[in-house]
Amino acid sequence: MSQSNPLKDRIELLRRLGVRYVSMEGQEPVVSGENPIPETPTLPSRPPSPMVEGESVAAPLGQTTSRVLSPEPTHRPQWLSATPESVQAMELIAFDQDICRCQKCPLGQTRKNFVFGMGNPLAEVMFVGEAPGADEDAQGLPFVGRAGQLLTKIIQSTNTWKREEVFICNVLKCRPPGNRTPLPEEVDQCRPYLEEQIQIIKPKLIMALGASAAQALLRTKDSVGKLRNKWHDFNGVPLRVTYHPAALLRFDGYKKDVWEDMKELTRKYVEMIPKNI
Ligand code: URA
């Protein structure tokens, strides 16, 4: 989005200062940096805003920084799982704030809630579905209905991740009426949001759940059957395709395939980060 966002500016500054972790206890974000600061930082001048008020001065050279940001723009959203707060969390919160009133397509008029996504901003794995259904639209959270409960079981069946450790989102952030398949123009409007989420989170692996997610991410019209059983590349991130949990609810026969796909996702993860095991 081209509009300026003071929170994003702040985050960019924090990144440049080497700040990696942000505590938001008591709704009052305190940011600390692990790395010595290379030079005494100067804050960019900007019109007075709640972000600038409440901020402490930069630490002297070589000391750990500790700055207080205004709590106002960084309320802890419902979708943020209980993990250490981070610059990525702030970026995601800012991005959500940027786009949550989206009216780029008619779904903006019919949705109850914009469904940004849910989980760990530092997730190593992202699961991407199609679009919110009725339950998700009502709660403003992805995969909270029957298919979502099954997705939680699928994720946790690997004994590698808990649901709250990964990040879950959809290609579309708004519910298509009657849960119809997203239209190509809706996918085209919404895809940049997903791409930005991936860019912020920088997962090590992506699992596309079902045809809509796989086709949107890989820009193909191929079926899940054709796209399964191989590794794809999404801007340098290995991507695997499996059946959507809702398809499993309809046809039990996909269970074995999804189990195989999850095993392969876990195998790849272990191969990529042996030091984590
Ligand atoms: N199906 C999806 O693709 N996403 C959800 O969030 C729920 C059901």
Side-chain angles (χ1 to χ4, degrees):
M1 303 214 64
S2 57
Q3 264 186 343
S4 99
N5 177 326
L7 182 54
K8 272 193 174 164
D9 294 347
R10 289 290 303 144
I11 292 161
E12 185 49 40
L13 176 70
L14 293 170
R15 261 196 196 290
R16 288 209 305 272
L17 295 176
V19 171
R20 293 183 54 218
Y21 293 97
V22 184
S23 157
M24 292 192 282
E25 282 161 28
Q27 300 257 325
E28 187 146 312
V30 176
V31 181
S32 65
E34 297 181 333
N35 305 332
I37 302 170
E39 59 192 47
T40 306
T42 49
L43 297 166
S45 59
R46 62 161 56 83
S49 78
M51 286 305 301
V52 177
E53 292 162 20
E55 147 191 287
S56 69
V57 280
L61 185 66
Q63 281 185 18
T64 301
T65 48
S66 177
R67 2 178 117 246
V68 179
L69 304 180
S70 162
E72 189 269 317
T74 46
H75 69 283
R76 189 185 184 109
Q78 205 192 354
W79 54 258
L80 191 65
S81 66
T83 55
E85 284 84 354
S86 58
V87 169
Q88 280 100 319
M90 290 187 78
E91 282 193 276
L92 275 186
I93 292 167
F95 186 49
D96 181 23
Q97 287 175 351
D98 255 5
I99 65 175
C100 66
R101 281 170 291 277
C102 179
Q103 291 292 339
K104 284 203 293 184
C105 83
L107 300 185
Q109 292 293 310
T110 53
R111 71 170 177 240
K112 287 198 181 97
N113 280 294
F114 183 90
V115 182
F116 180 71
M118 181 178 201
N120 179 3
L122 301 175
E124 292 178 312
V125 185
M126 277 180 78
F127 289 83
V128 181
E130 177 178 292
D135 294 318
E136 291 75 22
D137 186 37
Q139 294 187 41
L141 294 171
F143 282 99
V144 290
R146 271 186 77 214
Q149 284 159 22
L150 181 54
L151 177 62
T152 304
K153 279 190 191 154
I154 291 168
I155 292 169
Q156 307 204 161
S157 70
T158 62
N159 287 327
T160 305
W161 305 287
K162 293 193 176 118
R163 179 180 165 119
E164 61 271 22
E165 290 171 339
V166 305
F167 196 87
I168 300 171
C169 62
N170 288 301
V171 176
L172 295 196
K173 308 304 182 202
C174 302
R175 182 191 182 204
N179 298 346
R180 63 160 168 73
T181 303
L183 304 173
E185 53 271 30
E186 291 164 352
V187 172
D188 287 343
Q189 296 281 9
C190 228
R191 190 197 285 108
Y193 295 161
L194 173 60
E195 289 172 348
E196 179 72 13
Q197 289 176 308
I198 295 170
Q199 170 70 24
I200 293 171
I201 296 169
K202 298 193 181 14
K204 291 186 163 64
L205 295 167
I206 298 172
M207 181 61 105
L209 303 166
S212 291
Q215 292 171 355
L217 285 162
L218 298 172
R219 296 180 188 254
T220 177
K221 290 192 163 57
D222 288 348
S223 67
V224 173
K226 196 153 177 220
L227 295 168
R228 277 188 65 244
N229 286 320
K230 55 183 138 189
W231 282 102
H232 304 268
D233 176 271
F234 178 83
N235 295 341
V237 183
L239 182 150
R240 201 81 181 171
V241 175
T242 195
Y243 292 104
H244 193 287
L248 247 77
L249 289 173
R250 288 191 296 267
F251 178 58
D252 213 43
Y254 289 144
K255 247 187 192 162
K256 192 171 157 293
D257 291 334
V258 173
W259 173 239
E260 290 302 323
D261 297 336
M262 289 301 293
K263 270 201 321 198
E264 174 56 17
L265 189 76
T266 312
R267 188 204 63 74
K268 180 84 168 173
Y269 173 73
V270 172
E271 175 192 281
M272 287 174 82
I273 30 182
K275 285 192 223 82
N276 280 12
I277 305 303

PDB file of all heavy atoms in Angstrom, residues 129-133 136 141-144 147 170 244, ligand 1:
ATOM      1  N   GLY A 129      -5.125 -21.347   3.366  1.00  0.00           N
ATOM      2  CA  GLY A 129      -6.385 -21.896   2.857  1.00  0.00           C
ATOM      3  C   GLY A 129      -6.997 -20.983   1.812  1.00  0.00           C
ATOM      4  O   GLY A 129      -6.333 -20.099   1.264  1.00  0.00           O
ATOM      5  N   GLU A 130      -8.297 -21.197   1.572  1.00  0.00           N
ATOM      6  CA  GLU A 130      -8.969 -20.521   0.459  1.00  0.00           C
ATOM      7  C   GLU A 130      -9.560 -19.167   0.871  1.00  0.00           C
ATOM      8  O   GLU A 130      -9.135 -18.109   0.391  1.00  0.00           O
ATOM      9  CB  GLU A 130     -10.077 -21.445  -0.058  1.00  0.00           C
ATOM     10  CG  GLU A 130     -10.921 -20.885  -1.157  1.00  0.00           C
ATOM     11  CD  GLU A 130     -11.950 -21.900  -1.624  1.00  0.00           C
ATOM     12  OE1 GLU A 130     -11.551 -22.919  -2.224  1.00  0.00           O
ATOM     13  OE2 GLU A 130     -13.154 -21.682  -1.385  1.00  0.00           O
ATOM     14  N   ALA A 131     -10.510 -19.228   1.778  1.00  0.00           N
ATOM     15  CA  ALA A 131     -11.236 -18.015   2.174  1.00  0.00           C
ATOM     16  C   ALA A 131     -12.014 -18.315   3.450  1.00  0.00           C
ATOM     17  O   ALA A 131     -12.335 -19.475   3.717  1.00  0.00           O
ATOM     18  CB  ALA A 131     -12.204 -17.607   1.063  1.00  0.00           C
ATOM     19  N   PRO A 132     -12.356 -17.285   4.218  1.00  0.00           N
ATOM     20  CA  PRO A 132     -13.144 -17.529   5.426  1.00  0.00           C
ATOM     21  C   PRO A 132     -14.517 -18.105   5.071  1.00  0.00           C
ATOM     22  O   PRO A 132     -15.103 -17.756   4.045  1.00  0.00           O
ATOM     23  CB  PRO A 132     -13.316 -16.126   6.039  1.00  0.00           C
ATOM     24  CG  PRO A 132     -12.329 -15.244   5.335  1.00  0.00           C
ATOM     25  CD  PRO A 132     -12.043 -15.859   4.009  1.00  0.00           C
ATOM     26  N   GLY A 133     -15.003 -18.982   5.949  1.00  0.00           N
ATOM     27  CA  GLY A 133     -16.379 -19.462   5.861  1.00  0.00           C
ATOM     28  C   GLY A 133     -17.244 -18.683   6.847  1.00  0.00           C
ATOM     29  O   GLY A 133     -16.810 -17.643   7.376  1.00  0.00           O
ATOM     30  N   GLU A 136     -15.695 -18.338  10.384  1.00  0.00           N
ATOM     31  CA  GLU A 136     -14.522 -17.459  10.357  1.00  0.00           C
ATOM     32  C   GLU A 136     -14.958 -16.006  10.191  1.00  0.00           C
ATOM     33  O   GLU A 136     -14.413 -15.095  10.827  1.00  0.00           O
ATOM     34  CB  GLU A 136     -13.592 -17.874   9.204  1.00  0.00           C
ATOM     35  CG  GLU A 136     -12.896 -19.216   9.410  1.00  0.00           C
ATOM     36  CD  GLU A 136     -13.796 -20.440   9.216  1.00  0.00           C
ATOM     37  OE1 GLU A 136     -14.838 -20.290   8.527  1.00  0.00           O
ATOM     38  OE2 GLU A 136     -13.462 -21.520   9.731  1.00  0.00           O
ATOM     39  N   LEU A 141     -11.554 -14.852  12.583  1.00  0.00           N
ATOM     40  CA  LEU A 141     -10.355 -15.696  12.695  1.00  0.00           C
ATOM     41  C   LEU A 141     -10.433 -16.832  11.677  1.00  0.00           C
ATOM     42  O   LEU A 141     -11.529 -17.349  11.417  1.00  0.00           O
ATOM     43  CB  LEU A 141     -10.261 -16.292  14.098  1.00  0.00           C
ATOM     44  CG  LEU A 141     -10.022 -15.295  15.236  1.00  0.00           C
ATOM     45  CD1 LEU A 141     -10.174 -15.981  16.587  1.00  0.00           C
ATOM     46  CD2 LEU A 141      -8.651 -14.638  15.112  1.00  0.00           C
ATOM     47  N   PRO A 142      -9.294 -17.250  11.118  1.00  0.00           N
ATOM     48  CA  PRO A 142      -9.330 -18.294  10.102  1.00  0.00           C
ATOM     49  C   PRO A 142      -9.434 -19.694  10.702  1.00  0.00           C
ATOM     50  O   PRO A 142      -8.950 -19.934  11.806  1.00  0.00           O
ATOM     51  CB  PRO A 142      -7.970 -18.136   9.405  1.00  0.00           C
ATOM     52  CG  PRO A 142      -7.067 -17.632  10.471  1.00  0.00           C
ATOM     53  CD  PRO A 142      -7.927 -16.758  11.362  1.00  0.00           C
ATOM     54  N   PHE A 143     -10.030 -20.579   9.952  1.00  0.00           N
ATOM     55  CA  PHE A 143     -10.069 -22.003  10.298  1.00  0.00           C
ATOM     56  C   PHE A 143     -10.496 -22.254  11.740  1.00  0.00           C
ATOM     57  O   PHE A 143      -9.768 -22.863  12.526  1.00  0.00           O
ATOM     58  CB  PHE A 143      -8.703 -22.662  10.008  1.00  0.00           C
ATOM     59  CG  PHE A 143      -8.487 -22.949   8.537  1.00  0.00           C
ATOM     60  CD1 PHE A 143      -7.728 -22.098   7.753  1.00  0.00           C
ATOM     61  CD2 PHE A 143      -9.083 -24.055   7.943  1.00  0.00           C
ATOM     62  CE1 PHE A 143      -7.544 -22.349   6.399  1.00  0.00           C
ATOM     63  CE2 PHE A 143      -8.895 -24.318   6.587  1.00  0.00           C
ATOM     64  CZ  PHE A 143      -8.124 -23.464   5.821  1.00  0.00           C
ATOM     65  N   VAL A 144     -11.658 -21.755  12.081  1.00  0.00           N
ATOM     66  CA  VAL A 144     -12.200 -21.980  13.426  1.00  0.00           C
ATOM     67  C   VAL A 144     -13.461 -22.867  13.400  1.00  0.00           C
ATOM     68  O   VAL A 144     -13.977 -23.227  14.445  1.00  0.00           O
ATOM     69  CB  VAL A 144     -12.500 -20.649  14.160  1.00  0.00           C
ATOM     70  CG1 VAL A 144     -11.234 -19.937  14.537  1.00  0.00           C
ATOM     71  CG2 VAL A 144     -13.418 -19.748  13.337  1.00  0.00           C
ATOM     72  N   ALA A 147     -13.758 -27.475   9.523  1.00  0.00           N
ATOM     73  CA  ALA A 147     -12.525 -27.707   8.753  1.00  0.00           C
ATOM     74  C   ALA A 147     -11.308 -27.231   9.559  1.00  0.00           C
ATOM     75  O   ALA A 147     -10.232 -27.828   9.505  1.00  0.00           O
ATOM     76  CB  ALA A 147     -12.595 -26.976   7.405  1.00  0.00           C
ATOM     77  N   ASN A 170      -5.617 -17.217   4.823  1.00  0.00           N
ATOM     78  CA  ASN A 170      -6.304 -17.578   3.588  1.00  0.00           C
ATOM     79  C   ASN A 170      -5.862 -16.674   2.444  1.00  0.00           C
ATOM     80  O   ASN A 170      -5.336 -15.582   2.679  1.00  0.00           O
ATOM     81  CB  ASN A 170      -7.814 -17.414   3.773  1.00  0.00           C
ATOM     82  CG  ASN A 170      -8.406 -18.478   4.671  1.00  0.00           C
ATOM     83  OD1 ASN A 170      -8.303 -19.671   4.387  1.00  0.00           O
ATOM     84  ND2 ASN A 170      -9.011 -18.058   5.772  1.00  0.00           N
ATOM     85  N   HIS A 244      -7.467 -29.701   0.900  1.00  0.00           N
ATOM     86  CA  HIS A 244      -8.075 -28.818   1.905  1.00  0.00           C
ATOM     87  C   HIS A 244      -8.774 -29.683   2.964  1.00  0.00           C
ATOM     88  O   HIS A 244      -9.386 -30.707   2.620  1.00  0.00           O
ATOM     89  CB  HIS A 244      -9.091 -27.912   1.198  1.00  0.00           C
ATOM     90  CG  HIS A 244      -9.551 -26.776   2.042  1.00  0.00           C
ATOM     91  ND1 HIS A 244     -10.412 -26.952   3.099  1.00  0.00           N
ATOM     92  CD2 HIS A 244      -9.264 -25.459   1.994  1.00  0.00           C
ATOM     93  CE1 HIS A 244     -10.635 -25.780   3.673  1.00  0.00           C
ATOM     94  NE2 HIS A 244      -9.940 -24.861   3.022  1.00  0.00           N
TER      95      HIS A 244
HETATM   96  N1  URA B   1     -11.842 -22.834   4.740  1.00  0.00           N
HETATM   97  C1  URA B   1     -10.800 -22.052   4.401  1.00  0.00           C
HETATM   98  O1  URA B   1     -10.223 -22.164   3.330  1.00  0.00           O
HETATM   99  N2  URA B   1     -10.418 -21.138   5.269  1.00  0.00           N
HETATM  100  C2  URA B   1     -10.981 -20.959   6.448  1.00  0.00           C
HETATM  101  O2  URA B   1     -10.547 -20.078   7.184  1.00  0.00           O
HETATM  102  C3  URA B   1     -12.051 -21.797   6.783  1.00  0.00           C
HETATM  103  C4  URA B   1     -12.468 -22.732   5.924  1.00  0.00           C
END
